[in-house]
Amino acid sequence: MTTPARDRPGLGTLFASPQGLVEDLRPGDYAFFGVPYDLSSPGLLGARHGPAACRDGSGYYAVFRPSFEEITTARKLDFPLAIDLGDAPIRPLDWSTTDAILHEYIRSVLSAGAVPVAIGGDHLVTAPLAAGFGAHVRERGGEPAYVQFSRRLDLGGEHPILGQAWRGATATLVGGRGFDAGRMAWVGVNGYLPTDEWARVKDESLNVVTLEELRRDGVGDSVRRVLEAVGAAPRDTYVSVDLDVLDGAYVPHTDEPTFDGLTNVELLSAIDVLNETGVGAFDVTGLNPHPEPSAITGARFTAWLILRFICRQSPIELETADG
Amino acid sequence: MTYERGLLPPFAGPPTFARCPRGKLGDLREGMVAVFGVVADTIDERKRPGTAPGAAAIRHASMQFISHIEAAPGRRVRDTMTGNLLSLPDRWDMLDLGDVESNASEPPDIASDLDALTRPVLEAGAIPLMLGGPASLSYLTNVGAYEEDGGLVRLSPTLGAYDEQGRSATIGTMGFALQAWFRQAQEPSVKMLTAEDVRRRGALQVAREAIDWVSGMRRVHVAVDMGLIDLAYSAGTPLPGVTGITPRDLLTMCAEIARSVPLAGVTVCAVAPALDRRGRSEALAARAAIELIAPLVFEGREGVT
C-alpha cells in the first residue's frame, strides 16, 4: 500500500488519498475507483477520461488535508479515511464482461465494509454497480433502494443502434436486477423525454421529481422527501449522479449540451442532504473533459461534489468585520 | 443479406437540418418549411468574425435532437418544460435546400442572392427557415419586407431598424445603444422588450406581449439573433453580451410564439461555432429553430395529442 501523497503530488490519486487494493480497505473507509467506459453514449465520447480528469481536479483540494473551513457554507470539513483503488479493470469492447467485472468489483468493496465512490464513465456503468450493490444488500437481509440525479429518466428499452446496454436504459437495467420500482427515484428530470418513459412514470406513480418541482419546492425538502419515499435505510441506498442534471452553463463537460438543469450550488446542496445520513454507495458519471479542454470546471466540480459527500461536516462561526 | 439503410447515429452525415429530405425549389409545396443556410460572415468591424460556418454547425447540432426522436419508441418525445409532444413526421413538410449559392466575400452579392432565393420560396407558399450568417442579413428573409401586412418578432440584443408602422416587436435588447436610437425605440409605434423585462416579468409574459403587438398582422416572421443569450450560456456569437437572457427563456418564448402566431418565416443567425468550443451555441440555435417550426413539422402527426 502506498503512503498518502500530500508530499508527492505526482502520484495523482483522488484528493491525494493513499493508493491501495481492495484488500487494504478497512470498515468505514471510502473506496474511490474510476470506471473509464464511455461507449454507450450516442453523443460525444470522452467520459472514459472522466476519472483521470477528476483526479487531476481534486489536487486543488488535496492541499487542504486533513481539514478545512468552507466560507460559503460556514462549515468545517474533515477528510475521512479513504483509499483510491485506481480504475476498475474493465473491457472496453466487451460490455457483458465489463458488466460482470463491475458487479463483482463493487461487491468485493462492500464486503470489506467500505463505502464505494465510483467515478464514470458514462451513466451505463451505474447499472452493474447498482446491481452488485443490490445483491450485497439483499445478502445481508436488506432491501436496496436507488436514487438517481439525471436530466433523463433512463427508462429506455433497446436502442435501435446501441442495443440493450446504453446509457438511456440505465434505470431500466437497474430495475430489472432486483430493485423494486417503488424503491427507485429520479431527481432533476428535464428537457425532452420519450413518451413511453413518461407514460410509465404516470401509470406506475414512480418517484420522479422534475426540475420544475425542485425549483418550486426547494432542493433540500425535495431530496429529503425522495429519500423518505424510497423508504430504505441510508446504507441500503445507492445514489447515482449523472452530471447532465446540471445546466451546461455551469458544467459543460457532458456528452451532449444541456440548456436547463440544476445550478452547481443546487446540486451541492442536494449532496449535503445525502451527507447528513450517508448512503451505501455513490457514483458520479458523465464527466467528459473534452467539450471544453482548456477549462477544468467539470473536473474541479466533480471532485468538489465528491468531497461534499464524503467529508464530515460541522458548522463554524465566521468572524465578521465588526468582530 | 440485403442491405437496408437503417437508423444512423447522431454524428453520421451528411447532415440536413433535423435530417429532413434534401430538395430543390421545384419540390416545395404550399405550407412547407424551406430550410436554407447562409455562408457569410459579419462585415461589422465591431464584431468577431466566424458566422460563415454557422449554418453547417446548426445542421450538425440538429441531428443530435432528431436522433433522440428517431430512437424513441413511437418516435416521439415529450418536452417536460412545455408539455408539448414532438414526433417524427410520417411525411416531411420540410425540405433542406442547402446553402444559398453566393460569393461569400461580397456582401452585396449575398444580399441579392438571398433575395433571389427567398422570393420563389414565398411564391411557392413555403415558409423560409434561414440558418446562419450574420444578423445584418437576417432582414432579407423577413416576410414583412415582401408583404405589406406581414409582422416581425425579433429576438435580438439590438434595437433594430426604426419601424414607424408598428408592425414589429423586439425582445431581448440589452447593453449600450446610441441615445438617438434609444429615443426612437421608445416611440409609441415601437415595441421594445428588453432582456431586463424578460428577467422581471418572465419569458412567457414578455412573449405574450410581443404576440399581442403583432396580432393584427396576417403572418409573422420570427428572427432570432443568438447574440441575445448571455455569454455564460452561449458564447459562439460575434458580439456576446453579459446581461443576456437564458436558454430556457429563449426556448420558452420560441415555443409560445410558434403556437400563437401564423408563421411566415424564421431566421436563426449569428452563430459562430469556432468561438464556442463547447458546441453549445449551435446546439441552442438548432433547438430554437426546432421550437419555432415544431407546430408545422413535428406536431402534425395524426393520433399524437
Side-chain angles (χ1 to χ4, degrees):
Chain A
M1 182 172 164
T2 320
T3 52
R6 185 177 179 191
D7 58 343
R8 298 167 59 193
L11 191 61
T13 57
L14 196 70
F15 307 119
S17 305
Q19 189 176 17
L21 305 171
V22 173
E23 302 86 90
D24 300 318
L25 290 168
R26 294 151 299 185
D29 278 355
Y30 283 100
F32 305 134
F33 60 93
V35 188
Y37 178 88
D38 64 3
L39 292 177
S40 83
S41 165
L44 181 68
L45 298 187
R48 69 184 67 179
H49 298 127
C54 183
R55 287 190 177 98
D56 282 349
S58 77
Y60 171 77
Y61 304 104
V63 298
F64 298 116
R65 291 170 65 100
S67 67
F68 62 100
E69 292 176 348
E70 210 244 324
I71 305 304
T72 313
T73 56
R75 270 179 274 189
K76 179 169 177 281
L77 283 80
D78 296 311
F79 281 79
L81 293 172
I83 286 180
D84 189 334
L85 302 174
D87 289 346
I90 61 152
R91 303 285 183 271
L93 297 181
D94 182 352
W95 173 250
S96 60
T97 302
T98 296
D99 182 298
I101 289 170
L102 293 176
H103 187 273
E104 291 311 302
Y105 193 76
I106 194 169
R107 289 182 72 181
S108 66
V109 170
L110 290 160
S111 296
V115 179
V117 176
I119 308 154
D122 64 39
H123 202 195
L124 179 63
V125 305
T126 298
L129 292 175
F133 173 82
H136 177 83
V137 170
R138 282 190 300 278
E139 277 170 12
R140 55 175 164 74
E143 192 61 41
Y146 172 82
V147 177
Q148 78 168 32
F149 292 76
S150 174
R151 184 178 80 75
R152 305 175 181 84
L153 290 166
D154 296 328
L155 281 169
E158 183 172 357
H159 188 283
I161 298 172
L162 298 165
Q164 296 282 357
W166 69 292
R167 64 135 164 75
T170 301
T172 306
L173 297 170
V174 170
R177 295 167 81 171
F179 284 77
D180 183 83
R183 288 183 181 271
M184 296 176 70
W186 294 256
V187 183
V189 174
N190 71 91
Y192 298 112
L193 296 174
T195 50
D196 64 323
E197 294 187 34
W198 191 244
R200 189 179 160 197
V201 169
K202 297 297 177 192
D203 291 346
E204 300 181 26
S205 300
L206 299 180
N207 298 311
V208 172
V209 183
T210 65
L211 184 62
E212 296 294 327
E213 290 166 337
L214 268 179
R215 285 180 174 142
R216 187 190 64 207
D217 301 337
V219 174
D221 287 348
S222 298
V223 175
R224 286 189 187 89
R225 203 166 56 239
V226 158
L227 294 173
E228 197 178 308
V230 298
R235 71 172 190 149
D236 293 347
T237 303
Y238 186 105
V239 173
S240 174
V241 177
D242 186 341
L243 283 179
D244 73 1
V245 77
L246 287 169
D247 188 317
Y250 298 95
V251 173
H253 304 88
T254 50
D255 65 342
E256 291 177 22
T258 58
F259 296 109
D260 202 1
L262 293 174
T263 67
N264 47 7
V265 173
E266 286 171 336
L267 183 54
L268 289 168
S269 63
I271 298 306
D272 284 343
V273 175
L274 303 178
N275 179 281
E276 291 169 5
T277 57
V279 297
F282 182 76
D283 75 39
V284 186
T285 64
L287 171 63
N288 183 343
H290 298 293
E292 197 173 28
S294 60
I296 57 168
T297 322
R300 184 77 67 81
F301 179 80
T302 305
W304 182 224
L305 193 75
I306 292 170
L307 209 53
R308 287 277 279 261
F309 169 65
I310 63 171
C311 275
R312 284 183 294 278
Q313 300 188 14
S314 52
I316 54 170
E317 296 255 341
L318 290 178
E319 286 185 20
T320 57
D322 58 4
Chain B
M1 179 179 170
T2 309
Y3 171 77
E4 283 185 36
R5 178 76 177 239
L7 195 59
L8 290 168
F11 45 84
T16 56
F17 184 70
R19 285 218 178 101
C20 74
R22 284 193 71 102
K24 298 174 183 168
L25 276 170
D27 302 324
L28 290 172
R29 298 189 306 270
E30 177 92 23
M32 264 189 162
V33 173
V35 184
F36 52 90
V38 176
V39 185
D41 226 312
T42 179
I43 53 168
D44 186 335
E45 74 280 2
R46 297 169 303 167
K47 297 182 177 178
R48 304 183 296 174
T51 57
I58 295 170
R59 285 194 180 96
H60 263 289
S62 70
M63 297 204 301
Q64 191 99 53
F65 161 80
I66 202 70
S67 71
H68 285 302
I69 298 188
E70 290 173 335
R75 296 187 166 192
R76 56 187 180 181
V77 296
R78 183 182 291 278
D79 185 347
T80 56
M81 184 174 71
T82 61
N84 295 325
L85 274 169
L86 284 83
S87 62
L88 198 69
D90 290 332
R91 189 188 72 158
W92 280 98
D93 287 323
M94 180 162 72
L95 287 180
D96 194 329
L97 305 179
D99 292 339
V100 177
E101 291 180 23
S102 191
N103 181 350
S105 62
E106 294 293 340
D109 286 356
I110 299 168
S112 61
D113 291 336
L114 193 50
D115 181 68
L117 177 63
T118 304
R119 283 184 187 279
V121 167
L122 293 172
E123 284 164 11
I127 295 158
L129 167 55
M130 173 183 139
L131 302 175
S136 57
L137 288 177
S138 67
Y139 72 94
L140 286 164
T141 48
N142 170 21
V143 175
Y146 301 89
E147 298 175 1
E148 286 188 0
D149 51 356
L152 170 68
V153 174
R154 297 172 68 243
L155 292 137
S156 170
T158 62
L159 294 170
Y162 176 55
D163 171 24
E164 62 184 13
Q165 295 172 308
R167 295 191 298 165
S168 68
T170 298
I171 303 174
T173 44
M174 61 172 173
F176 302 99
L178 293 176
Q179 199 173 14
W181 293 2
F182 195 74
R183 282 209 188 98
Q184 277 188 344
Q186 289 176 315
E187 289 185 14
S189 64
V190 178
K191 186 66 171 176
M192 178 182 71
L193 297 152
T194 64
E196 196 58 26
D197 290 329
V198 176
R199 279 188 283 276
R200 284 182 182 162
R201 301 209 288 274
L204 209 53
Q205 173 63 26
V206 165
R208 285 172 182 161
E209 286 178 40
I211 291 162
D212 284 347
W213 186 262
V214 295
S215 60
M217 302 296 122
R218 189 171 71 86
R219 298 202 300 166
V220 176
H221 186 92
V222 183
V224 182
D225 175 346
M226 291 300 293
L228 90 164
I229 303 294
D230 191 287
L231 68 81
Y233 298 94
S234 170
T237 192
L239 195 61
V242 292
T243 54
I245 67 169
T246 68
R248 183 167 184 256
D249 289 336
L250 174 65
L251 298 176
T252 299
M253 291 191 288
C254 287
E256 183 66 15
I257 292 166
R259 285 162 186 81
S260 308
V261 302
L263 204 65
V266 174
T267 308
V268 180
C269 63
V271 172
L275 301 177
D276 182 1
R277 291 287 307 277
R278 301 174 298 178
R280 294 176 56 77
S281 302
E282 57 266 36
L284 181 57
R287 283 280 301 275
I290 284 163
E291 287 293 348
L292 286 166
I293 60 165
L296 300 169
V297 179
F298 298 111
E299 294 177 5
R301 206 171 75 187
E302 201 173 328
V304 176
T305 56

